[in-house]
Amino acid sequence: MNAPTAPNAPVTPELVSRARAAARTSGRGVYAELETLSGLEPRAFVQALAALLRFEVIETATMLEMRPANELLPLARALTRHCALLHGPGESLVAVIPDPFDIELQDWIAAVARAPVRLNLALRSDIQAYLTKLESSARAMDAVQLSLISEAEGTEGGEQISIQRIHEDESEAVKIVNSTLYDAIRDGASDIHLRSAREGMVIKHRIDGVLGSAGPVFQREVSTRIISRLKVMAGLDIAEHRVPQDGKLKVNALGRAVDVRVSIMPTIHGEDAVLRILDKRSIIPADGVLRLSVLGFEPDVLSSLRKLVNLPYGMLLVTGPTGSGKTTTLYAAISETNTGRENFLTIEDPVEYELQGVAQIPVNEAQGLTFERGLRSILRHDPDRIMVGEIRDKETAEMAVQAALTGHLVLATVHANNAYDVFNRFTYLGIDMYALTSALNGILAQRLLRTVCAHCATEHQPDDTELRELGLTRRDLAGRVLRRGTGCGDCRATGYKGRRAIVEILALDDTLRRMIAEKQPIAEIKERARAKGIRFLRDAALELAFQGETTLEEVARVTLQA
Ligand SMILES: [Zn+2]
C-alpha cells in the first residue's frame, strides 16, 4: 500500500491520513471523511480509493453473474454485515466489502470463508442492491417455510421469527419513523405503507409508481409504538384503535419542509398506516417555475395541449390512474396560462402545490366541503377558469359540464383507464352525452413510465412470450435496440431510475362529437381518431421502448389496460 501515487490522484495517502485525523474527532469513520475530503461522486470515489489500495472494484451486475457462496455466508448474515462472498474462478473466493478501513469486517469474512479470499471493493448501495436481488429470489422459496413456522408457533410466536432483535424503548420507534420518512423523501417516494402483520410490521415505499423495497419486519411491540408515534405527530387520538383516523404532519428533511398526510386504519393484525408524501420538490422543477415545456412532452403533443388549455371556454379532461402525473400536468397548464387578467379558481384534494395568483380551495370532507359544494361556491365567485381536482360524482360532473357550456374554461381530472373510458364513466354518472360532447374540447390520457437506469442498462433481446403479450413480431423490432437495467445501487436494484410521461390527446372535432354523442362503437371512434393522426398511449409507450428509454415489460405494465 506504499506504492507511489500519481501526484494528481484524487485520493492520496496524505488525504487518507487527514481523513483518519478527522475521523478521530467526528466519529464518522475514515471512509466517510475521506469521501468528503476527496470531493468526488460516490462511484468515482470508490474507483480512486481502490486504485490507491490496489483493490478491484466490483459492481452489482458482475456480482450477479457469479455464484454466491451461501454455504459459507448465509444471506441473513450477509445482510446484517453488508458484505458478500462469491465463488471466483476455480476454487477461489471473492469477498465484497464496502469499507476497506473496516479491518474487523475483513477478519470476520476471512474467518467465515475458512480460506484465503480476494477482497473486492463495492459501493455500499451496490452491495445492498445485490443482496436485495438475491433476497427477493430467496424469499420466493422461503415464503412457504416461513408461514409454516409462524403457523406452528401461533400468534404469540411471531416475535421469535423477527430477524433482528431491536431495542424496545420509545426512542427506537421514533428513530424508525424518522429514518423511514427521511429515506422516503430522499428517494422521492410518493407513499409509505406500514402494514401490520402477524409477525410485526412491514414497511414499503412507493417509488416511481411501484410499491417495493420492503423494510425489515419489526416486532409487534415496536410496530405498535411506531403507529402511536405517527398518531402523536399527526395530532390523532392515541387511545383510539378501532376506527380509521386521518391527519397531517410536517417534517423537515433535506433542508425543506414536507407535508405528509397520515391515514390510520385498523386491521386484524393491529393498525396500518399509509403516509402520502406531498413533496413539492417532486412537482416543481429546479428553477422553481412549472411550465408544460419542462414535462418532457414531444413538440407535437405540447402544441396540441397548449391549444386546448388556451381555448376561452369548454372542458379539458385529464385522465389516468392514481400517480400518473395528471395533477402535475394540470398545474403546469394553469401556471403557464394564468395571466392574472382572469379569475382562476380551483377546488382540490389536497392542494399539492401553490399557484401564483390562483385561489385554491382544499376539499375538507370532514367539514362538509366536498368537490360538489366547493364547485358550487366557486361558480358564485364569477370565475373565468376553473380547475376541479377530480370529478367523481354526478353533481360535480353536471356542474362542471354546465360551467363549460356557459362560457368558462374547466380543467378537471377524472379517474378512467383511457380517453374512451371517460365516456363510460360519465354515462355511468348519468351525464347526457350530447351535453358532455358539446362542452368537451378534448381529453388527455396520461401515464408515467419508468425509465431504464443509465448505470446498469444493457441491451436486451425480448423472448417470444414478451413479444406476444404486446402483440409485437420480430419484424417490429428490426433494427431497434431494446435495453433494460440489470439492477445496481443507483436504482435500488430495480433496473429503473426516474420516469417519463406519455400522453394521448383526443381533441374533439364535430365528427367525433357526433359519433360519441350517438354512442357509436368505441372501435369506430378510435378508427376516426387514428385517421385524424391521434397517437395512442400504446404507440407512445412503444416508441420510448424502441428508443431504449424504457422496457417492453414496463410498456406492458403501464398500457395493457389502456
Ligand atoms: Zn441501475
Side-chain angles (χ1 to χ4, degrees), residues 238-315:
I238 317 185
E240 180 56 74
H241 300 286
R242 295 149 304 168
V243 297
Q245 297 189 71
D246 292 304
K248 236 182 180 180
L249 59 90
K250 207 182 207 63
V251 286
N252 282 295
L254 304 162
R256 59 186 190 271
V258 176
D259 289 317
V260 180
R261 273 203 302 183
V262 180
S263 122
I264 310 274
M265 177 80 81
T267 69
I268 52 165
H269 294 300
E271 287 172 290
D272 284 2
V274 174
L275 313 186
R276 162 59 60 91
I277 297 166
L278 304 170
D279 190 356
K280 295 181 181 77
R281 179 68 66 91
S282 60
I283 294 181
I284 314 168
D287 68 355
V289 188
L290 189 60
R291 278 177 254 95
L292 285 171
S293 55
V294 300
L295 301 181
F297 295 138
E298 313 266 320
D300 54 327
V301 166
L302 197 57
S303 80
S304 43
L305 182 53
R306 284 203 166 121
K307 222 175 278 169
L308 283 171
V309 296
N310 279 301
L311 289 172
Y313 59 87
M315 184 154 72

Side-chain angles (χ1 to χ4, degrees), residues 43 453-457 485-497:
R43 279 193 194 283
C453 169
H455 186 74
C456 63
T486 50
C488 71
D490 285 8
C491 57
R492 304 173 322 276
T494 60
Y496 296 98
K497 197 163 189 205

Side-chain angles (χ1 to χ4, degrees), residues 66-78 84-88 90-94 108-109 111-115 117 130 134:
M66 297 165 77
R67 195 160 55 83
N70 284 335
E71 68 286 1
L72 297 168
L73 178 59
L75 184 56
R77 297 181 78 190
L85 193 59
L86 308 161
H87 287 286
E91 296 285 293
S92 72
L93 283 168
V94 175
W108 181 80
I109 207 163
V112 161
R114 281 173 278 154
V117 294
Y130 166 73
L134 218 57

Side-chain angles (χ1 to χ4, degrees), residues 308-318 330 333-334 337 343-347 375 378-379 383-391 396-414 426 436 439-444:
L308 283 171
V309 296
N310 279 301
L311 289 172
Y313 59 87
M315 184 154 72
L316 171 66
L317 292 173
V318 180
L330 276 183
I334 293 169
T337 52
N343 193 13
F344 213 136
L345 292 151
T346 76
I347 171 92
L375 183 53
I378 281 178
L379 289 171
D384 297 300
R385 294 167 169 243
I386 302 162
M387 171 180 144
V388 182
E390 191 185 345
I391 293 180
T396 310
E398 267 171 353
M399 257 186 285
V401 168
Q402 233 25 73
L405 286 172
T406 51
H408 306 99
L409 185 78
V410 179
L411 309 174
T413 77
V414 54
F426 275 78
L436 176 66
L440 199 58
N441 294 330
I443 302 175
L444 178 137

Side-chain angles (χ1 to χ4, degrees), residues 13 16 42 100 105 184 221 260 287 326 331 374 378 449 505 513 522:
V16 176
L105 178 64
E221 292 222 0
V260 180
D287 68 355
K326 294 179 295 230
Y331 278 147
I378 281 178
L449 282 150
I505 298 177
R513 282 201 174 87
I522 293 290

